[in-house]
Amino acid sequence: MSSEYLAVDIGASSGRHIVGTVDNKKINMTETYRFENGLIEKNGHKCWDIENLKNSVIAGIKETLKRGFYPETLGIDTWAVDFVLLDKNDEIIGDAVAYRDSRTNGICEELEKLKVISFRELYSKTGIQYQKFNTIYQLFALKKEHPDYFEKAETFLMIPDYLNFVLTGVKANEYTNATTTALVNAKTGDWDFEIIDRLGLPGHIFQEIQMPGTPLGRLRPEIASETGADIEVILPATHDTGSAFLSVPAKNDTSVFLSSGTWSLMGVENREAIASDASRAANFTNEGGYEHRFRYLKNIMGLWMNQNVRRELDPKPAFPDLIASAQKFSDIKTTVDVDDERFLAPVSMIDEIKKACAEKNEPIPDETGAVMQVIYNSLADDYAKTVKQLEKLTGKKFTCIIVVGGGSQDKYLNKLTSEASGLPVYCGPVEGTALGNLIVQFIHAGEFEDLKEARKAVSIMKQ
């Protein structure tokens, strides 16, 4: 009987528990549990419901065993940048404010004005692109609003770090997620305490950085008793994009990877960070990856735009119906800048897109399909431009795009992407993030010798 491993993969809108096995180097995956996730309004901020996340992770372990699976190890991945602070009693201080909250508006400019640190210097040290919600800006915003929190704080944990702590009682900051804080030095791979000190943050709250593949510990006795499980928790690449990139079987070193979901993350793997002025100006990021690789990529707004259009409609159409509605307006060639912050958390995505088109003197019909076509045009156009930027910054000529994640199922978007970029588009696994999470567990267990062998087991097909 094959050994079983459990990936808990949590995104901004939902989470899933997926069991993986390896038989004769063939990977099998079975979903055992799925739950909703989303933002809640709390104390004037957009927050994550941490209690719900914690309970859902535990409920999913229970359900996995109920369905007859007995995983030997477990790994958790989530989105990046968000965190909690714990006091001396390990209780959460305040709320788990989400990256889409407005509290970080103007913080980067304020740090420059106060001469704490310029973005130019920050990028040269960390290689992390500017996003107004980067953890460094969230921490400074929190310090302004609640300076007393840092007087009480004993521990800084990112969201997956906290869930791991709930399960095991062990505190650790995992490398791939830690790098997204813009507080990790790209050369040393460790916290840059000079930056932390300049921000006026207490250095002792940051934990030792641990690499993917590190065994964290077994379930706490009370969790083991509640779930009926005796599982060892392993650190995967806890940043979901870090896990997703592990599931991409590169055809060669001239492939561009695209993790397509709520966000689109497009880039390549490098052994060294690229923190040049040209890279900073293009706003590419060097996020930490498995085995100290760097995911050199650009964050693109992604299917968040589609999700918000659907959320506004009543009744809510199925995504295939939204795609079909766009195809009816395929003659529309209008695009908008999908990376504009106006699309990060608009009151109405539909209205915001229409306004953006009108501002360009390119009004579109008052139809959902027209809005969807503009989104598709804009994403495909951004992907094509990103490939060109990557070629210029890396000095490579790319020959194909490999898409993983939920967006790999969108044949219309993949078609437009191929047309805009002039490159063939190949599709990897839909559950790419969960698979990447499992791959780290497989390697730790000896199912595969290394990442190269594991990637050979991941099949792809031409779109």
Side-chain angles (χ1 to χ4, degrees):
M1 182 177 176
S2 301
S3 297
E4 296 164 349
Y5 311 89
L6 179 60
V8 182
D9 171 31
I10 307 175
S13 59
S14 66
R16 60 214 53 84
H17 290 56
I18 294 180
V19 172
T21 60
V22 179
D23 294 304
N24 296 319
K25 303 302 180 183
K26 180 182 178 182
I27 298 170
N28 302 296
M29 297 169 65
T30 304
E31 182 179 303
T32 58
Y33 190 72
R34 184 172 285 260
F35 59 92
E36 293 297 312
N37 185 32
L39 300 181
I40 57 174
E41 291 289 337
K42 194 174 180 183
N43 299 319
H45 292 291
K46 291 180 172 65
C47 301
W48 299 110
D49 188 343
I50 288 292
E51 195 67 18
N52 175 63
L53 284 175
K54 179 176 71 174
N55 292 337
S56 296
V57 169
I58 295 170
I61 297 172
K62 287 183 185 178
E63 182 62 25
T64 298
L65 267 69
K66 192 180 295 184
R67 293 186 55 178
F69 295 98
Y70 299 93
E72 295 186 4
T73 62
L74 172 158
I76 299 176
D77 67 79
T78 77
W79 62 95
V81 305
D82 291 338
F83 63 92
V84 295
L85 298 177
L86 304 184
D87 64 16
K88 63 182 181 181
N89 298 316
D90 293 330
E91 296 294 331
I92 294 177
I93 303 170
D95 301 314
V97 178
Y99 62 87
R100 292 193 189 275
D101 189 75
S102 61
R103 67 175 175 171
T104 53
N105 289 351
I107 294 295
C108 179
E109 294 78 7
E110 185 173 346
L111 288 175
E112 301 238 6
K113 187 177 180 180
L114 293 173
K115 300 189 184 304
V116 174
I117 191 166
S118 67
F119 178 64
R120 178 187 292 271
E121 182 184 3
L122 183 66
Y123 190 84
S124 71
K125 288 175 175 287
T126 68
I128 297 299
Q129 73 179 127
Y130 169 74
Q131 296 278 8
K132 74 170 188 175
F133 49 71
N134 286 348
T135 316
I136 183 174
Y137 306 132
Q138 291 200 48
L139 284 165
F140 196 76
L142 180 60
K143 184 169 175 282
K144 285 181 61 182
E145 186 178 5
H146 294 289
D148 56 308
Y149 283 10
F150 291 93
E151 295 172 10
K152 304 172 188 174
E154 290 293 329
T155 307
F156 165 91
L157 295 175
M158 304 191 79
I159 299 299
D161 300 332
Y162 175 70
L163 295 173
N164 282 328
F165 169 66
V166 167
L167 294 183
T168 66
V170 178
K171 299 174 183 177
N173 293 137
E174 186 273 330
Y175 173 68
T176 65
N177 224 316
T179 62
T180 69
T181 63
L183 294 172
V184 173
N185 188 288
K187 291 182 179 178
T188 67
D190 202 356
W191 296 113
D192 194 316
F193 285 103
E194 181 191 353
I195 297 175
I196 289 169
D197 185 59
R198 284 159 68 174
L199 290 164
L201 301 173
H204 74 272
I205 67 176
F206 297 92
Q207 309 304 297
E208 182 178 353
I209 292 178
Q210 303 287 350
M211 296 300 295
T214 301
L216 209 56
R218 305 197 82 80
L219 297 184
R220 294 185 197 226
E222 58 269 34
I223 302 292
S225 176
E226 181 181 353
T227 60
D230 180 22
I231 304 174
E232 184 177 30
V233 176
I234 303 291
L235 289 179
T238 65
H239 182 195
D240 51 12
T241 309
S243 279
F245 264 47
L246 294 181
S247 73
V248 180
K251 291 169 69 66
N252 47 53
D253 63 358
T254 59
S255 305
V256 174
F257 301 165
L258 173 58
S259 176
S260 180
T262 300
W263 285 93
S264 290
L265 297 307
M266 192 172 202
V268 295
E269 283 184 330
N270 290 329
R271 281 295 183 179
E272 301 290 336
I274 301 176
S276 63
D277 286 343
S279 180
R280 173 179 51 78
N283 210 31
F284 274 74
T285 201
N286 296 269
E287 295 174 352
Y290 183 68
E291 294 180 332
H292 284 287
R293 290 173 170 84
F294 288 92
R295 300 189 311 280
Y296 187 58
L297 53 83
K298 181 182 178 185
N299 273 35
I300 300 168
M301 198 68 73
L303 302 183
W304 163 255
M305 302 178 81
N306 304 36
Q307 293 163 3
N308 272 262
V309 169
R310 179 177 181 270
R311 196 172 290 126
E312 291 180 45
L313 301 175
D314 187 21
K316 291 180 175 56
F319 282 111
D321 293 333
L322 275 178
I323 295 168
S325 73
Q327 291 175 296
K328 293 176 182 177
F329 291 89
S330 59
D331 57 322
I332 292 178
K333 305 302 178 186
T334 303
T335 62
V336 295
D337 178 6
V338 295
D339 299 317
D340 193 319
E341 289 182 358
R342 70 194 296 172
F343 301 121
L344 187 63
V347 174
S348 167
M349 183 67 73
I350 292 172
D351 289 346
E352 204 63 47
I353 290 168
K354 289 179 181 177
K355 288 177 190 174
C357 293
E359 288 166 11
K360 295 177 64 178
N361 293 318
E362 297 180 32
I364 59 174
D366 189 22
E367 298 276 353
T368 299
V371 172
M372 289 298 300
Q373 182 63 31
V374 170
I375 292 174
Y376 278 127
N377 290 344
S378 304
L379 287 173
D381 184 61
D382 206 325
Y383 296 159
K385 288 177 180 176
T386 300
V387 171
K388 293 300 181 187
Q389 288 176 309
L390 277 167
E391 289 182 334
K392 188 173 182 180
L393 291 165
T394 63
K396 290 183 178 179
K397 184 72 175 175
F398 295 106
T399 58
C400 68
I401 299 169
I402 304 177
V403 188
V404 298
S408 66
Q409 301 173 95
D410 194 327
K411 295 182 179 180
Y412 187 50
L413 178 56
N414 293 339
K415 174 179 176 290
L416 294 179
T417 299
S418 181
E419 291 172 355
S421 65
L423 298 177
V425 172
Y426 294 86
C427 293
V430 174
E431 295 289 359
T433 303
L435 177 55
N437 180 325
L438 287 167
I439 281 173
V440 174
Q441 297 182 61
F442 293 155
I443 294 170
H444 174 264
E447 300 281 4
F448 295 108
E449 183 178 347
D450 53 23
L451 180 59
K452 183 177 180 180
E453 184 182 34
R455 278 178 163 164
K456 285 181 181 178
V458 182
S459 62
I460 59 172
M461 62 180 183
K462 188 175 185 300
Q463 184 65 24

